Amino acid sequence: MGQEFLSLLQLETKRLLWLIGITFAVILTFQYLEFPYGTVLVSLFSADKIPTPGSSTFKSSDVPSKSKLVSNVTVFNPANFTVDHVFEIANKTLIFGENETIPRTSFVLEPERTSNISLGFGGSNQSSTVESIMRPDRKSETQQAEDPGPCSFNKTIGLSFSANRFQEHNVSSSEQKSETPYASSTNVSTDITTAVLSNDSTVSLFQKDNITNSMKEESVSSSLKDAKVSVPTENKDYHTPIPEVTIVFEMNKLLLQSHASYRSMRPRWFEAVDEELLHTRSEIENAPIVKKDPNFYGPIYHNVSMFKRSYELMEETLKVYVYTEGAKPILHSPFLTGLYASEGWFMKQMEANDRFVTKDPKKAHLFYLPFSSRMLEEALYVQGSHNHKNLVQYLHNYVEMISGKYTFWNRTGGADHFLVGCHDWAPGETKVDMAKCIRALCNADVKEGFVFGKDASLPETYVRNAQIPTKDFGGNSASKRTTLAFFAGSMHGYVRPILLQHWENKDPDMKIFGRLPKSKGNKNYIQYMKTSKYCICAKGYEVNSPRVVEAIFYECVPVIISDNFVPPFFEVLNWESFAVIVLEKDIPNLKNILLSIPEKEYLRLQMRVKKVQHHFLWHKNPVRYDIFHMILHSIWYNRIFSAPTR
């Protein structure tokens, strides 16, 4: 009996061992052959495969294709994830962390310019110094200019269709090369580099607001929701993903796309002025071909025929209603000298204009909100507070008052209203209550909510003499310009220190300085501009710089170094025909770029600078085609092409 029991026990033990072995074999089969639900068993075998908080429990085969993991951040296929949001999340995660340890560096400010450290509403001043610019290496792309004769050189230097990548500062240069070029503006590379911050300011008012919101939110979805505030909502589907660096060639495409697809809010009821706008658009699109006109030099325009017809129709048709409400100094107080004079001169000449201003708002095609972004900062900003809520609240109250007193704002949601703001903070201050308005901004930055087809780029003009705004106008002839390139200015932002690092006191042909010693009437600075072939227009805290207009004023070919800057009067002017645009990443190669321009081509560029000059001059009394009329035309043109049909 005992012998039989022992035999039975041994048999059952063998069966149990076989059962355990078969079970483990099945588990191993599921695990390594990737059968469905295989990941459920992952924790039985490998601790390094255990899903961690925030990571997916699925394996790489389940991740969307074309995704790439860089610095522990996964960027998915743009088809499934909006690129703007990718940039937003990445910048918040890698750059604007609360435990920022990068040291600060302070620099001297320019005369009459306060420190435009663009901060968020109620945000803290987090400054950082960036040691280097990390941009993807790309071959340049050129676009031929409209010109009667052949032209071997022109257009943007070192054009890049690559988005930046998320990178640490110690990543090798070989790892920084992007892998997938853009096929079009909608196919965006998933290989992205971190954005670069300025030396003395962190982020813009527009960007900081989104960053502050994201710090308060824990989930990615809510951060994405906040990021959408920057764009008017009337036509969400017309926006295309914006790469880290948007070159001028791409800006032209975005503008054309916006004209075809962007429409402002549909009026709650139609007026005769709406029909006039639609008729005007048809007239412009079918403009008679201009073969020769003494007032226009064709190559400096995108389409001289359309511009000529549009300008004529503006003179014949346009009526602007100027609101008289509001107290000084923020409203109705022109600021006529200094860095932000553009908004003041426009306000002065618009309010005094008899040709375009109408007292009957029912006849108006446009409504002007005559406030000064500079005076708003002067009157309300508390120095050192880093809080802009009261500035934004003031504009909110102003809009509430206008919309409560009149029906015109409510008819279009403000889409037929416009503002002119040159202060660096204007984009952030107007992006909420005035988001649907046409905004003419000096800080015309693709990355800060500039909307092609709606917003206009306002020229930043440094006016030194309000009585004679054209004083010292002009410069030496091309043959008497002995300096290859000139720049002087305070160390605002991250680009200028890099410019000086590579070129200050390095080459006698490159007159690259910091801030020049003071001289009466700033004659040293002006003399350099008058005697240089190329004037370097490097961005400061923001993308805009008064040097762009100063170079044209003194007949020096402007060299714009400011990624994502939308040049003034972009709707009309072909900037690549009279200016050189260099990517920030190409600063070390700046001299070679300029020397590669043949002398014949330089003479052509300088001649065109003279041809375009009259569009950038202020006069005490406005003159046809001058800067006042060009600003008004940009606003008028954008309103025509954004007006909805019935």
Side-chain angles (χ1 to χ4, degrees):
M1 185 69 179
Q3 185 70 25
E4 292 179 1
F5 178 80
L6 182 60
S7 299
L8 182 61
L9 180 61
Q10 290 176 345
L11 180 61
E12 291 299 328
T13 301
K14 290 180 180 180
R15 287 180 179 177
L16 180 60
L17 290 174
W18 272 103
L19 182 59
I20 293 173
I22 292 172
T23 301
F24 270 81
V26 171
I27 290 173
L28 289 172
T29 302
F30 272 82
Q31 176 65 28
Y32 291 100
L33 294 183
E34 300 286 2
F35 280 21
Y37 312 108
T39 53
V40 175
L41 306 172
V42 70
S43 61
L44 293 176
F45 304 98
S46 177
D48 64 350
K49 294 183 182 179
I50 296 176
T52 57
S55 66
S56 173
T57 58
F58 290 95
K59 289 188 169 289
S60 59
S61 59
D62 298 312
V63 177
S65 61
K66 297 185 181 180
S67 67
K68 183 176 182 179
L69 184 66
V70 183
S71 299
N72 297 324
V73 179
T74 302
V75 184
F76 295 104
N77 187 344
N80 302 320
F81 199 76
T82 305
V83 172
D84 294 82
H85 296 162
V86 174
F87 295 149
E88 194 73 27
I89 296 167
N91 289 341
K92 293 170 187 173
T93 304
L94 299 179
I95 300 176
F96 305 112
E98 296 179 0
N99 299 321
E100 183 64 52
T101 58
I102 302 175
R104 302 184 190 184
T105 303
S106 298
F107 297 100
V108 182
L109 302 179
E110 289 180 344
E112 297 187 35
R113 179 164 187 164
T114 58
S115 178
N116 296 317
I117 302 173
S118 300
L119 302 171
F121 308 142
S124 62
N125 182 9
Q126 302 176 16
S127 302
S128 63
T129 301
V130 177
E131 297 177 359
S132 63
I133 297 179
M134 293 181 297
R135 304 286 190 193
D137 293 325
R138 287 290 184 189
K139 294 182 179 180
S140 64
E141 211 172 282
T142 58
Q143 177 189 8
Q144 296 300 319
E146 293 178 5
D147 215 359
C151 176
S152 60
F153 177 91
N154 215 336
K155 310 307 178 188
T156 304
I157 306 298
L159 303 186
S160 172
F161 284 83
S162 165
N164 285 347
R165 296 165 297 170
F166 302 128
Q167 294 280 0
E168 301 293 341
H169 287 308
N170 59 359
V171 176
S172 67
S173 60
S174 62
E175 292 173 334
Q176 293 178 23
K177 294 181 180 179
S178 36
E179 300 177 36
T180 308
Y182 285 89
S184 67
S185 62
T186 57
N187 295 328
V188 182
S189 170
T190 56
D191 206 12
I192 303 170
T193 305
T194 50
V196 183
L197 300 180
S198 65
N199 285 54
D200 202 10
S201 69
T202 18
V203 288
S204 70
L205 185 63
F206 174 86
Q207 293 169 321
K208 181 70 178 183
D209 194 27
N210 287 339
I211 294 161
T212 304
N213 289 338
S214 70
M215 289 178 177
K216 297 177 182 178
E217 301 290 344
E218 295 182 358
S219 66
V220 172
S221 60
S222 60
S223 298
L224 297 181
K225 182 178 180 181
D226 290 339
K228 294 178 182 177
V229 176
S230 64
V231 181
T233 58
E234 53 265 25
N235 232 9
K236 295 179 181 177
D237 59 345
Y238 95 98
H239 295 284
T240 54
I242 305 296
E244 177 69 15
V245 177
T246 304
I247 60 170
V248 173
F249 177 74
E250 288 295 305
M251 290 180 190
N252 287 324
K253 291 169 64 177
L254 290 170
L255 180 63
L256 293 174
Q257 289 172 12
S258 71
H259 284 172
S261 59
Y262 178 80
R263 294 293 177 271
S264 62
M265 174 180 167
R266 194 178 195 78
R268 292 183 178 178
W269 61 90
F270 274 81
E271 300 278 6
V273 292
D274 298 307
E275 296 295 341
E276 290 175 358
L277 289 176
L278 296 177
H279 175 72
T280 300
R281 175 170 179 161
S282 177
E283 287 276 308
I284 295 171
E285 290 176 332
N286 296 284
I289 301 299
V290 175
K291 294 183 178 179
K292 192 173 182 180
D293 190 305
N295 294 315
F296 303 102
Y297 180 68
I300 66 174
Y301 304 99
H302 288 305
N303 188 317
V304 66
S305 302
M306 289 181 66
F307 171 60
K308 182 176 186 294
R309 187 62 184 136
S310 177
Y311 191 94
E312 291 171 348
L313 290 168
M314 179 183 77
E315 291 184 316
E316 296 170 9
T317 309
L318 176 61
K319 295 299 176 186
V320 179
Y321 182 78
V322 181
Y323 287 106
T324 57
E325 290 76 11
K328 295 181 178 181
I330 296 173
L331 290 106
H332 314 292
S333 294
F335 190 86
L336 300 180
T337 58
L339 197 59
Y340 308 107
S342 289
E343 64 179 29
W345 276 85
F346 181 86
M347 182 189 297
K348 178 179 182 292
Q349 297 188 346
M350 186 76 259
E351 291 191 316
N353 194 281
D354 294 327
R355 179 168 199 162
F356 298 110
V357 173
T358 178
K359 300 296 183 181
D360 184 357
K362 292 185 177 180
K363 295 181 179 179
H365 304 89
L366 290 165
F367 295 78
Y368 176 41
L369 304 170
F371 79 93
S372 165
S373 62
R374 171 60 191 270
M375 296 311 297
L376 181 68
E377 181 257 347
E378 287 277 324
L380 297 182
Y381 179 67
V382 179
Q383 293 295 326
S385 67
H386 311 307
N387 192 318
H388 300 75
K389 289 183 179 179
N390 57 332
L391 283 69
V392 177
Q393 185 63 43
Y394 183 93
L395 295 181
H396 172 79
N397 295 342
Y398 177 63
V399 170
E400 288 284 300
M401 182 265 292
I402 292 296
S403 60
K405 186 173 181 179
Y406 301 99
T407 60
F408 315 117
W409 177 282
N410 302 322
R411 189 178 79 91
T412 63
D416 54 1
H417 288 55
F418 73 93
L419 60 97
V420 177
C422 197
H423 196 276
D424 291 355
W425 297 343
E429 292 165 349
T430 60
K431 75 184 180 72
V432 180
D433 293 287
M434 299 177 176
K436 294 181 180 179
C437 297
I438 300 169
R439 303 182 304 163
L441 303 168
C442 286
N443 187 6
D445 189 343
V446 175
K447 305 301 291 184
E448 291 204 12
F450 184 92
V451 180
F452 288 97
K454 180 182 77 68
D455 296 332
S457 179
L458 177 67
E460 184 173 10
T461 56
Y462 198 113
V463 178
R464 294 179 170 84
N465 190 320
Q467 298 302 315
I468 313 174
T470 55
K471 186 178 180 181
D472 293 322
F473 166 72
N476 290 3
S477 63
S479 61
K480 294 181 180 180
R481 291 181 176 264
T482 55
T483 300
L484 176 65
F486 164 69
F487 172 85
S490 298
M491 293 299 97
H492 297 156
Y494 64 86
V495 169
R496 297 181 188 180
I498 295 171
L499 179 66
L500 264 66
Q501 175 190 344
H502 287 280
W503 296 109
E504 184 180 27
N505 299 321
K506 301 290 176 63
D507 192 302
D509 293 331
M510 305 287 285
K511 305 297 184 183
I512 307 297
F513 309 109
R515 189 174 176 182
L516 289 175
K518 288 186 178 180
S519 61
K520 187 176 181 181
N522 208 21
K523 288 186 178 179
N524 290 342
Y525 180 86
I526 294 173
Q527 191 60 27
Y528 271 117
M529 281 218 162
K530 286 174 175 284
T531 57
S532 298
K533 288 185 174 182
Y534 298 97
C535 289
I536 310 301
C537 309
K539 66 177 288 185
Y541 290 124
E542 307 295 349
V543 293
N544 48 299
S545 168
R547 289 164 183 77
V548 176
V549 175
E550 283 180 327
I552 295 172
F553 192 86
Y554 298 121
E555 299 173 0
C556 180
V557 176
V559 179
I560 301 174
I561 308 178
S562 180
D563 292 351
N564 300 315
F565 174 54
V566 182
F569 313 140
F570 185 72
E571 304 83 5
V572 170
L573 296 181
N574 178 15
W575 276 83
E576 293 173 299
S577 70
F578 58 87
V580 179
I581 302 172
V582 176
L583 294 181
E584 294 168 11
K585 73 180 183 67
D586 292 327
I587 289 175
N589 200 36
L590 181 58
K591 184 179 180 180
N592 288 337
I593 289 171
L594 298 180
L595 289 178
S596 71
I597 302 173
E599 182 66 16
K600 183 178 179 181
E601 178 58 23
Y602 161 71
L603 294 174
R604 185 176 301 177
L605 289 169
Q606 209 250 354
M607 178 269 291
R608 291 172 182 167
V609 167
K610 293 181 181 180
K611 294 290 186 181
V612 81
Q613 197 176 51
H614 65 295
H615 291 320
F616 292 90
L617 300 179
W618 289 110
H619 301 278
K620 293 197 71 173
N621 296 308
V623 177
R624 285 189 89 193
Y625 309 117
D626 71 354
I627 191 170
F628 167 76
H629 288 96
M630 290 296 289
I631 294 170
L632 189 61
H633 177 268
S634 285
I635 295 164
W636 152 258
Y637 192 83
N638 283 348
R639 179 56 188 155
I640 288 170
F641 280 91
S642 64
T645 57
R646 278 189 179 274

